[in-house]
Amino acid sequence: MEAADIIDALLGWGVIALLVAVPVVLGVMGLITLYADKPLDKKYVVGGGGMAGGFSSGLDAVFSPTAHEAGLERDRQTARTAPAPSPGDPPWTIDERRIRIDV
């Protein structure tokens, strides 16, 4: 084989590898972007588990109460709430005797 044939073969395989790698990399980046944009409470959804799925929470409370309490606290802290007005907010955020919350 001549040097030109080797260079042509390398360039050909390089183009093929590039054509295969670019869509794969873009697809992985797209999945990462979609996953990163999900809210925290939607990222880690656990499947049902069939008939035993309802008992896992109860078993956790019996055999590992600290883990159960930690899970409850985590759920409480990640729950999204509407912002309430602060004490220093101007009075026009209060309509008569009702507090208006802009979401």
Coordinates of all heavy atoms in Angstrom, one line a residue:
M1 N 0.8 -1.2 0.0 CA 0.0 0.0 0.0 C 0.9 1.2 0.0 O 1.9 1.3 0.7 CB -0.9 0.0 1.2 CG -2.0 -1.0 1.2 SD -3.1 -0.8 2.7 CE -4.2 0.5 2.2
E2 N 0.4 2.2 -0.7 CA 1.1 3.5 -0.7 C 0.7 4.4 0.4 O -0.4 4.1 1.0 CB 0.9 4.2 -2.1 CG 1.4 3.4 -3.3 CD 1.2 4.1 -4.6 OE1 0.9 5.3 -4.5 OE2 1.2 3.5 -5.6
A3 N 1.4 5.4 0.6 CA 1.0 6.3 1.7 C -0.3 7.1 1.4 O -1.1 7.3 2.3 CB 2.2 7.4 1.9
A4 N -0.5 7.3 0.2 CA -1.8 8.0 -0.2 C -3.0 7.1 0.1 O -4.0 7.6 0.5 CB -1.7 8.4 -1.7
D5 N -2.8 5.8 -0.1 CA -3.9 4.9 0.1 C -4.2 4.8 1.6 O -5.4 4.8 2.1 CB -3.6 3.5 -0.4 CG -3.6 3.5 -1.9 OD1 -4.2 4.3 -2.5 OD2 -2.9 2.6 -2.5
I6 N -3.2 4.9 2.4 CA -3.3 4.8 3.9 C -4.0 6.1 4.4 O -4.9 6.0 5.2 CB -2.0 4.6 4.6 CG1 -1.4 3.2 4.2 CG2 -2.1 4.8 6.1 CD1 0.0 2.9 4.7
I7 N -3.6 7.2 3.9 CA -4.2 8.5 4.3 C -5.7 8.5 3.8 O -6.5 9.0 4.6 CB -3.4 9.7 3.7 CG1 -2.0 9.7 4.4 CG2 -4.2 11.0 3.9 CD1 -1.1 10.8 3.8
D8 N -6.0 8.1 2.6 CA -7.4 8.0 2.2 C -8.2 7.1 3.1 O -9.4 7.4 3.4 CB -7.4 7.5 0.7 CG -7.0 8.6 -0.3 OD1 -6.9 9.8 0.1 OD2 -6.7 8.2 -1.4
A9 N -7.7 6.0 3.5 CA -8.4 5.1 4.3 C -8.7 5.7 5.7 O -9.8 5.6 6.2 CB -7.6 3.7 4.5
L10 N -7.6 6.3 6.2 CA -7.8 7.0 7.5 C -8.8 8.1 7.5 O -9.7 8.3 8.4 CB -6.5 7.5 8.0 CG -5.4 6.5 8.5 CD1 -4.1 7.2 8.9 CD2 -6.0 5.8 9.7
L11 N -8.8 8.9 6.4 CA -9.8 10.0 6.3 C -11.2 9.4 6.1 O -12.1 9.9 6.6 CB -9.4 10.9 5.1 CG -8.2 11.8 5.3 CD1 -7.9 12.6 4.0 CD2 -8.5 12.8 6.4
G12 N -11.3 8.3 5.3 CA -12.6 7.7 5.1 C -13.2 7.2 6.4 O -14.4 7.4 6.8
W13 N -12.4 6.5 7.2 CA -12.9 6.0 8.5 C -13.1 7.1 9.5 O -14.0 7.0 10.3 CB -11.9 5.0 9.1 CG -12.0 3.6 8.4 CD1 -11.1 3.0 7.6 CD2 -13.1 2.7 8.6 NE1 -11.5 1.8 7.2 CE2 -12.8 1.6 7.8 CE3 -14.3 2.7 9.3 CZ2 -13.6 0.5 7.7 CZ3 -15.1 1.6 9.2 CH2 -14.8 0.5 8.4
G14 N -12.3 8.2 9.4 CA -12.6 9.3 10.3 C -13.9 10.0 10.0 O -14.6 10.4 10.9
V15 N -14.2 10.1 8.7 CA -15.5 10.7 8.3 C -16.7 9.8 8.8 O -17.7 10.3 9.3 CB -15.6 11.0 6.8 CG1 -17.0 11.3 6.3 CG2 -14.6 12.1 6.4
I16 N -16.5 8.5 8.6 CA -17.6 7.6 9.1 C -17.8 7.7 10.6 O -18.9 7.7 11.1 CB -17.3 6.2 8.6 CG1 -17.4 6.1 7.1 CG2 -18.2 5.1 9.3 CD1 -16.9 4.7 6.5
A17 N -16.7 7.7 11.3 CA -16.7 7.8 12.8 C -17.4 9.1 13.2 O -18.2 9.1 14.1 CB -15.3 7.7 13.4
L18 N -17.1 10.2 12.5 CA -17.6 11.5 12.8 C -19.1 11.5 12.5 O -19.9 12.0 13.3 CB -16.9 12.6 12.0 CG -17.2 14.0 12.4 CD1 -16.7 14.3 13.8 CD2 -16.6 14.9 11.4
L19 N -19.6 10.9 11.4 CA -21.0 10.8 11.1 C -21.8 10.0 12.1 O -23.0 10.2 12.3 CB -21.2 10.3 9.7 CG -20.7 11.2 8.5 CD1 -20.9 10.5 7.2 CD2 -21.6 12.5 8.6
V20 N -21.1 9.0 12.7 CA -21.8 8.2 13.7 C -21.8 8.9 15.1 O -22.8 8.9 15.8 CB -21.2 6.8 13.8 CG1 -21.7 6.0 15.0 CG2 -21.4 6.0 12.5
A21 N -20.7 9.5 15.4 CA -20.5 10.1 16.8 C -21.3 11.3 17.0 O -21.8 11.6 18.1 CB -19.0 10.3 17.0
V22 N -21.4 12.2 16.0 CA -22.1 13.5 16.2 C -23.6 13.3 16.6 O -24.0 13.9 17.5 CB -22.0 14.3 14.9 CG1 -22.9 15.5 14.9 CG2 -20.5 14.8 14.8
P23 N -24.4 12.4 15.9 CA -25.8 12.2 16.3 C -25.9 11.6 17.7 O -26.8 12.0 18.5 CB -26.4 11.3 15.3 CG -25.5 11.4 14.1 CD -24.2 11.8 14.6
V24 N -25.0 10.7 18.0 CA -25.0 10.1 19.4 C -24.7 11.1 20.4 O -25.4 11.2 21.4 CB -24.0 8.9 19.4 CG1 -23.8 8.4 20.9 CG2 -24.4 7.8 18.5
V25 N -23.7 12.0 20.2 CA -23.3 13.0 21.2 C -24.5 14.0 21.3 O -24.9 14.4 22.4 CB -22.0 13.7 20.8 CG1 -21.8 14.9 21.7 CG2 -20.9 12.7 21.0
L26 N -25.1 14.4 20.2 CA -26.2 15.4 20.3 C -27.4 14.8 21.0 O -28.1 15.5 21.7 CB -26.5 15.8 18.9 CG -25.5 16.8 18.2 CD1 -26.0 17.1 16.8 CD2 -25.3 18.0 19.0
G27 N -27.7 13.5 20.8 CA -28.8 12.8 21.4 C -28.6 12.8 22.9 O -29.5 13.0 23.7
V28 N -27.3 12.4 23.4 CA -27.0 12.3 24.8 C -27.1 13.7 25.4 O -27.7 13.9 26.5 CB -25.7 11.7 25.0 CG1 -25.2 11.9 26.5 CG2 -25.7 10.2 24.6
M29 N -26.6 14.7 24.7 CA -26.7 16.1 25.3 C -28.2 16.6 25.4 O -28.6 17.2 26.3 CB -25.9 17.1 24.4 CG -24.4 16.9 24.5 SD -23.5 17.9 23.4 CE -24.0 19.6 23.8
G30 N -29.0 16.2 24.4 CA -30.4 16.5 24.4 C -31.1 15.8 25.6 O -31.9 16.5 26.3
L31 N -30.8 14.6 25.9 CA -31.4 13.9 27.0 C -31.0 14.5 28.3 O -31.8 14.6 29.3 CB -31.0 12.4 27.0 CG -31.7 11.6 25.9 CD1 -31.1 10.1 25.9 CD2 -33.2 11.5 26.1
I32 N -29.7 14.9 28.4 CA -29.2 15.5 29.6 C -29.9 16.8 29.9 O -30.3 17.2 31.0 CB -27.7 15.7 29.6 CG1 -27.0 14.3 29.7 CG2 -27.2 16.6 30.7 CD1 -25.5 14.4 29.4
T33 N -30.1 17.6 28.8 CA -30.8 18.9 28.9 C -32.3 18.7 29.3 O -32.8 19.4 30.2 CB -30.8 19.6 27.6 OG1 -29.4 19.8 27.2 CG2 -31.4 21.0 27.7
L34 N -32.9 17.7 28.7 CA -34.3 17.5 29.1 C -34.4 17.0 30.6 O -35.3 17.4 31.3 CB -34.9 16.4 28.2 CG -35.3 16.8 26.8 CD1 -35.8 15.6 26.0 CD2 -36.4 17.9 26.8
Y35 N -33.5 16.2 31.0 CA -33.5 15.7 32.4 C -33.2 16.8 33.4 O -33.8 16.9 34.4 CB -32.5 14.5 32.5 CG -32.5 13.9 33.9 CD1 -33.5 13.1 34.3 CD2 -31.5 14.2 34.8 CE1 -33.5 12.5 35.5 CE2 -31.4 13.6 36.0 CZ -32.5 12.8 36.4 OH -32.5 12.2 37.6
A36 N -32.2 17.7 33.0 CA -31.8 18.7 33.9 C -32.9 19.8 34.1 O -33.0 20.4 35.1 CB -30.6 19.4 33.4
D37 N -33.8 19.9 33.1 CA -34.9 20.9 33.2 C -36.1 20.5 34.0 O -36.9 21.3 34.3 CB -35.3 21.3 31.8 CG -34.3 22.2 31.1 OD1 -33.4 22.7 31.8 OD2 -34.4 22.3 29.9
K38 N -36.2 19.2 34.3 CA -37.3 18.7 35.1 C -37.2 19.2 36.5 O -36.1 19.3 37.1 CB -37.3 17.2 35.1 CG -37.7 16.6 33.7 CD -37.6 15.1 33.7 CE -38.9 14.5 34.2 NZ -38.8 13.0 34.1
P39 N -38.4 19.4 37.2 CA -38.3 19.8 38.6 C -37.9 18.6 39.4 O -38.0 17.5 39.0 CB -39.8 20.2 38.9 CG -40.5 20.1 37.6 CD -39.7 19.5 36.6
L40 N -37.4 19.0 40.6 CA -36.8 18.0 41.5 C -37.7 16.9 41.8 O -37.4 15.7 41.9 CB -36.2 18.6 42.7 CG -35.5 17.7 43.7 CD1 -34.2 17.1 43.0 CD2 -35.1 18.5 44.9
D41 N -39.0 17.2 42.1 CA -39.9 16.2 42.5 C -40.4 15.3 41.3 O -41.0 14.2 41.6 CB -41.2 16.8 43.1 CG -41.8 17.9 42.3 OD1 -41.2 18.3 41.3 OD2 -42.9 18.4 42.7
K42 N -40.0 15.6 40.1 CA -40.4 14.8 38.9 C -39.2 14.0 38.5 O -39.3 13.0 37.7 CB -40.8 15.6 37.8 CG -42.0 16.5 38.1 CD -43.3 15.7 38.2 CE -44.5 16.6 38.4 NZ -45.6 16.0 38.9
K43 N -38.0 14.3 38.9 CA -36.8 13.6 38.5 C -36.7 12.2 39.0 O -36.3 11.2 38.3 CB -35.5 14.3 38.9 CG -35.2 15.5 38.0 CD -33.8 16.1 38.5 CE -33.5 17.3 37.7 NZ -32.3 17.9 38.1
Y44 N -37.0 12.0 40.3 CA -36.8 10.8 41.0 C -38.1 10.1 41.3 O -38.3 9.7 42.4 CB -36.0 11.0 42.2 CG -34.7 11.7 42.0 CD1 -34.5 13.1 42.3 CD2 -33.7 11.1 41.3 CE1 -33.4 13.7 42.1 CE2 -32.5 11.8 41.0 CZ -32.3 13.1 41.4 OH -31.2 13.7 41.2
V45 N -38.9 9.9 40.3 CA -40.2 9.2 40.5 C -39.9 7.7 40.5 O -39.2 7.1 39.6 CB -41.2 9.5 39.3 CG1 -42.5 8.7 39.5 CG2 -41.5 11.0 39.4
V46 N -40.4 7.0 41.5 CA -40.2 5.5 41.6 C -41.4 4.8 41.1 O -42.6 5.2 41.4 CB -39.9 5.2 43.1 CG1 -39.7 3.7 43.3 CG2 -38.7 6.0 43.6
G47 N -41.2 3.7 40.5 CA -42.3 2.9 40.0 C -43.2 2.3 41.1 O -42.8 2.3 42.3
G48 N -44.3 1.8 40.7 CA -45.3 1.3 41.7 C -44.8 0.2 42.5 O -45.0 0.2 43.7
G49 N -44.3 -0.9 42.0 CA -43.8 -2.0 42.7 C -44.9 -3.1 42.9 O -44.7 -4.0 43.8
G50 N -46.0 -3.0 42.2 CA -47.0 -4.0 42.3 C -47.8 -3.9 43.6 O -48.0 -2.9 44.2
M51 N -48.1 -5.1 44.2 CA -48.9 -5.2 45.4 C -48.1 -4.7 46.6 O -48.6 -4.2 47.6 CB -49.4 -6.6 45.6 CG -50.5 -6.9 44.6 SD -51.1 -8.6 44.8 CE -51.7 -8.6 46.5
A52 N -46.8 -4.9 46.6 CA -45.9 -4.6 47.7 C -45.5 -3.1 47.7 O -44.9 -2.7 48.7 CB -44.7 -5.5 47.7
G53 N -45.9 -2.4 46.7 CA -45.5 -1.0 46.7 C -46.1 -0.1 47.8 O -45.5 0.8 48.3
G54 N -47.3 -0.4 48.2 CA -47.9 0.3 49.2 C -47.4 0.0 50.6 O -47.5 0.8 51.5
F55 N -46.7 -1.1 50.8 CA -46.2 -1.5 52.1 C -44.8 -0.9 52.3 O -44.3 -0.9 53.5 CB -46.1 -3.0 52.2 CG -47.5 -3.6 52.1 CD1 -47.8 -4.4 51.1 CD2 -48.5 -3.3 53.1 CE1 -49.1 -5.0 51.0 CE2 -49.7 -3.9 53.0 CZ -50.0 -4.7 51.9
S56 N -44.1 -0.5 51.3 CA -42.7 0.0 51.5 C -42.6 1.1 52.5 O -41.7 1.2 53.3 CB -42.0 0.3 50.2 OG -42.7 1.4 49.6
S57 N -43.5 2.1 52.4 CA -43.5 3.2 53.3 C -43.8 2.8 54.7 O -43.1 3.2 55.7 CB -44.6 4.2 52.9 OG -44.8 5.2 53.8
G58 N -44.7 1.9 54.9 CA -45.0 1.4 56.2 C -43.8 0.6 56.8 O -43.5 0.7 58.0
L59 N -43.2 -0.2 56.0 CA -42.0 -1.0 56.5 C -40.9 -0.1 56.8 O -40.1 -0.3 57.8 CB -41.6 -2.0 55.4 CG -42.5 -3.2 55.2 CD1 -42.0 -4.0 54.0 CD2 -42.7 -4.0 56.4
D60 N -40.7 1.0 56.0 CA -39.7 2.0 56.4 C -39.9 2.6 57.7 O -39.0 2.8 58.5 CB -39.6 3.0 55.3 CG -38.2 3.3 54.8 OD1 -37.3 2.6 55.2 OD2 -38.1 4.3 54.0
A61 N -41.2 2.9 58.0 CA -41.5 3.5 59.3 C -41.3 2.6 60.4 O -40.9 3.0 61.5 CB -43.0 4.0 59.3
V62 N -41.4 1.3 60.2 CA -41.3 0.3 61.3 C -39.8 0.0 61.5 O -39.3 0.0 62.6 CB -42.1 -1.0 61.0 CG1 -41.8 -2.0 62.1 CG2 -43.6 -0.6 61.1
F63 N -39.1 -0.4 60.4 CA -37.7 -0.9 60.5 C -36.7 0.2 60.5 O -35.5 -0.1 60.9 CB -37.5 -2.0 59.5 CG -38.3 -3.2 59.7 CD1 -39.3 -3.5 58.8 CD2 -38.1 -4.0 60.8 CE1 -40.1 -4.7 59.0 CE2 -38.9 -5.2 61.0 CZ -39.9 -5.5 60.1
S64 N -37.0 1.3 59.9 CA -36.0 2.4 59.8 C -36.7 3.7 60.0 O -36.9 4.5 59.1 CB -35.3 2.3 58.5 OG -34.3 3.3 58.4
P65 N -37.1 4.0 61.2 CA -37.9 5.3 61.5 C -37.1 6.5 61.1 O -37.7 7.5 60.7 CB -38.3 5.2 62.9 CG -37.4 4.2 63.6 CD -36.9 3.3 62.5
T66 N -35.8 6.5 61.3 CA -35.1 7.8 61.0 C -35.0 8.0 59.5 O -35.1 9.1 59.0 CB -33.6 7.7 61.5 OG1 -33.0 6.5 61.0 CG2 -33.6 7.7 63.0
A67 N -34.9 6.9 58.7 CA -35.0 7.1 57.2 C -36.4 7.5 56.8 O -36.5 8.4 55.9 CB -34.6 5.8 56.5
H68 N -37.4 7.0 57.5 CA -38.8 7.5 57.1 C -39.0 9.0 57.4 O -39.5 9.7 56.6 CB -39.8 6.6 57.9 CG -41.2 7.0 57.7 ND1 -41.8 6.8 56.5 CD2 -42.1 7.6 58.5 CE1 -43.1 7.2 56.5 NE2 -43.3 7.7 57.8
E69 N -38.5 9.4 58.6 CA -38.6 10.8 59.0 C -37.8 11.7 58.0 O -38.2 12.8 57.7 CB -38.1 11.0 60.4 CG -39.1 10.4 61.4 CD -38.5 10.4 62.8 OE1 -37.5 11.0 63.1 OE2 -39.2 9.8 63.7
A70 N -36.6 11.2 57.6 CA -35.8 12.0 56.7 C -36.5 12.1 55.4 O -36.4 13.2 54.7 CB -34.4 11.3 56.5
G71 N -37.1 11.0 54.9 CA -37.9 11.1 53.7 C -39.0 12.1 53.8 O -39.3 12.9 52.8
L72 N -39.7 12.1 54.9 CA -40.8 13.1 55.1 C -40.3 14.5 55.1 O -40.9 15.4 54.5 CB -41.6 12.8 56.4 CG -42.4 11.5 56.4 CD1 -43.0 11.3 57.8 CD2 -43.5 11.5 55.4
E73 N -39.2 14.7 55.7 CA -38.6 16.0 55.8 C -38.1 16.5 54.4 O -38.3 17.6 54.0 CB -37.4 16.1 56.8 CG -36.8 17.4 56.9 CD -37.7 18.5 57.5 OE1 -38.7 18.1 58.2 OE2 -37.4 19.7 57.4
R74 N -37.5 15.6 53.6 CA -37.1 15.9 52.3 C -38.3 16.3 51.4 O -38.2 17.2 50.7 CB -36.4 14.7 51.6 CG -35.9 14.9 50.2 CD -35.5 13.7 49.5 NE -36.7 12.8 49.3 CZ -36.7 11.6 49.7 NH1 -35.7 11.0 50.3 NH2 -37.8 10.9 49.5
D75 N -39.4 15.5 51.5 CA -40.6 15.8 50.8 C -41.1 17.2 51.2 O -41.6 18.0 50.3 CB -41.6 14.7 51.0 CG -41.2 13.4 50.3 OD1 -40.3 13.4 49.5 OD2 -41.8 12.4 50.7
R76 N -41.1 17.5 52.5 CA -41.6 18.8 52.9 C -40.8 19.9 52.4 O -41.3 21.0 52.0 CB -41.6 18.8 54.5 CG -42.3 20.1 55.0 CD -42.0 20.2 56.5 NE -40.6 20.4 56.8 CZ -40.0 21.6 56.7 NH1 -40.6 22.7 56.3 NH2 -38.8 21.7 57.1
Q77 N -39.5 19.7 52.4 CA -38.6 20.8 51.9 C -38.6 21.0 50.4 O -38.3 22.1 49.9 CB -37.1 20.6 52.4 CG -36.9 20.7 53.9 CD -35.5 20.5 54.3 OE1 -34.6 20.2 53.4 NE2 -35.3 20.6 55.6
T78 N -38.9 20.0 49.6 CA -38.9 20.1 48.2 C -40.3 20.5 47.7 O -40.5 20.7 46.5 CB -38.5 18.9 47.5 OG1 -39.3 17.8 47.9 CG2 -37.0 18.6 47.8
A79 N -41.3 20.5 48.5 CA -42.7 20.9 48.0 C -42.6 22.4 47.6 O -42.1 23.3 48.3 CB -43.7 20.7 49.2
R80 N -43.2 22.7 46.5 CA -43.2 24.1 46.0 C -44.4 24.8 46.6 O -45.5 24.4 46.5 CB -43.2 24.1 44.5 CG -42.0 23.4 44.0 CD -42.0 23.4 42.5 NE -40.8 22.7 42.0 CZ -39.7 23.3 41.6 NH1 -39.6 24.6 41.5 NH2 -38.7 22.6 41.1
T81 N -44.1 26.0 47.1 CA -45.2 26.8 47.6 C -45.2 28.2 46.9 O -44.2 28.6 46.3 CB -45.0 27.1 49.1 OG1 -43.7 27.7 49.3 CG2 -45.0 25.8 49.9
A82 N -46.3 28.9 47.0 CA -46.5 30.2 46.3 C -45.7 31.2 47.2 O -45.8 31.1 48.4 CB -47.9 30.6 46.2
P83 N -45.1 32.2 46.6 CA -44.4 33.2 47.4 C -45.4 34.1 48.2 O -46.3 34.5 47.6 CB -43.5 33.9 46.4 CG -44.3 33.7 45.1 CD -44.9 32.4 45.2
A84 N -45.1 34.3 49.4 CA -46.0 35.2 50.2 C -45.3 36.6 50.3 O -44.1 36.7 50.2 CB -46.2 34.6 51.6
P85 N -46.1 37.6 50.5 CA -45.5 38.9 50.6 C -44.7 39.1 51.9 O -45.0 38.5 52.9 CB -46.7 39.9 50.6 CG -47.8 39.0 50.9 CD -47.5 37.6 50.5
S86 N -43.6 39.8 51.8 CA -42.8 40.1 53.0 C -43.3 41.3 53.8 O -44.1 42.1 53.3 CB -41.4 40.4 52.5 OG -40.8 39.3 51.9
P87 N -42.9 41.4 55.0 CA -43.5 42.5 55.8 C -43.1 43.9 55.3 O -43.8 44.9 55.5 CB -42.8 42.3 57.2 CG -42.4 40.9 57.3 CD -42.2 40.5 55.8
G88 N -42.0 44.0 54.5 CA -41.6 45.3 54.0 C -42.2 45.6 52.6 O -41.9 46.6 52.0
D89 N -43.1 44.8 52.1 CA -43.7 45.0 50.8 C -44.6 46.2 50.8 O -45.2 46.5 51.8 CB -44.5 43.8 50.3 CG -43.6 42.6 49.8 OD1 -42.4 42.9 49.6 OD2 -44.1 41.5 49.7
P90 N -44.7 46.9 49.7 CA -45.6 48.1 49.6 C -47.1 47.7 49.8 O -47.4 46.6 49.5 CB -45.3 48.7 48.2 CG -44.6 47.7 47.5 CD -44.0 46.7 48.4
P91 N -47.9 48.6 50.2 CA -49.3 48.3 50.6 C -50.2 48.0 49.4 O -51.2 47.4 49.5 CB -49.8 49.6 51.3 CG -48.9 50.6 50.8 CD -47.6 50.0 50.5
W92 N -49.7 48.3 48.1 CA -50.6 48.0 47.0 C -50.7 46.5 46.6 O -51.4 46.1 45.8 CB -50.3 48.8 45.8 CG -48.8 48.7 45.4 CD1 -48.3 47.7 44.6 CD2 -47.8 49.6 45.7 NE1 -47.0 47.9 44.4 CE2 -46.6 49.1 45.1 CE3 -47.7 50.8 46.4 CZ2 -45.4 49.7 45.2 CZ3 -46.5 51.4 46.5 CH2 -45.3 50.8 45.9
T93 N -49.9 45.7 47.4 CA -50.0 44.2 47.1 C -51.1 43.6 48.0 O -51.4 42.5 47.9 CB -48.7 43.5 47.5 OG1 -48.4 43.8 48.8 CG2 -47.6 44.0 46.5
I94 N -51.8 44.5 48.8 CA -52.9 44.0 49.6 C -54.2 44.7 49.1 O -54.3 45.9 49.0 CB -52.7 44.4 51.1 CG1 -51.4 43.7 51.6 CG2 -53.9 44.0 51.9 CD1 -51.1 44.1 53.0
D95 N -55.2 43.9 48.6 CA -56.4 44.4 48.2 C -57.4 44.3 49.3 O -57.9 43.2 49.7 CB -56.9 43.5 47.0 CG -56.0 43.7 45.8 OD1 -55.4 44.7 45.6 OD2 -55.9 42.7 45.0
E96 N -57.8 45.4 49.8 CA -58.7 45.5 51.0 C -58.2 44.6 52.1 O -57.2 44.9 52.7 CB -60.2 45.2 50.6 CG -60.7 46.2 49.6 CD -62.1 45.8 49.2 OE1 -62.7 44.9 49.7 OE2 -62.6 46.5 48.3
R97 N -58.9 43.5 52.4 CA -58.5 42.6 53.4 C -57.9 41.3 52.9 O -57.7 40.4 53.6 CB -59.6 42.3 54.4 CG -60.0 43.5 55.1 CD -61.0 43.2 56.3 NE -62.2 42.6 55.8 CZ -63.1 42.1 56.6 NH1 -63.0 42.1 57.9 NH2 -64.2 41.5 56.1
R98 N -57.6 41.3 51.6 CA -57.1 40.1 51.0 C -55.6 40.4 50.5 O -55.4 41.4 49.9 CB -57.9 39.7 49.8 CG -59.4 39.4 50.2 CD -60.2 39.1 49.1 NE -59.8 37.7 48.6 CZ -60.4 37.1 47.7 NH1 -61.5 37.6 47.1 NH2 -60.1 35.9 47.3
I99 N -54.8 39.4 50.7 CA -53.4 39.5 50.2 C -53.4 38.9 48.8 O -53.8 37.8 48.5 CB -52.4 38.7 51.1 CG1 -52.4 39.4 52.5 CG2 -51.0 38.8 50.5 CD1 -51.6 38.6 53.5
R100 N -52.8 39.7 47.8 CA -52.7 39.2 46.5 C -51.3 38.6 46.3 O -50.3 39.3 46.6 CB -52.9 40.4 45.5 CG -52.8 40.0 44.1 CD -52.9 41.2 43.2 NE -51.9 42.2 43.7 CZ -51.8 43.4 43.2 NH1 -52.6 43.9 42.3 NH2 -50.9 44.2 43.7
I101 N -51.3 37.4 45.8 CA -50.0 36.7 45.5 C -49.9 36.6 44.0 O -50.7 35.9 43.4 CB -50.0 35.3 46.2 CG1 -50.1 35.5 47.8 CG2 -48.7 34.6 45.9 CD1 -50.2 34.2 48.5
D102 N -48.9 37.2 43.5 CA -48.6 37.1 42.0 C -47.7 35.9 41.8 O -46.6 35.8 42.3 CB -47.9 38.3 41.5 CG -48.8 39.5 41.6 OD1 -50.0 39.4 41.5 OD2 -48.3 40.6 41.9
V103 N -48.2 34.9 41.0 CA -47.5 33.7 40.7 C -46.9 33.8 39.3 O -47.6 34.1 38.4 CB -48.3 32.5 40.9 CG1 -47.5 31.2 40.6 CG2 -48.8 32.4 42.4

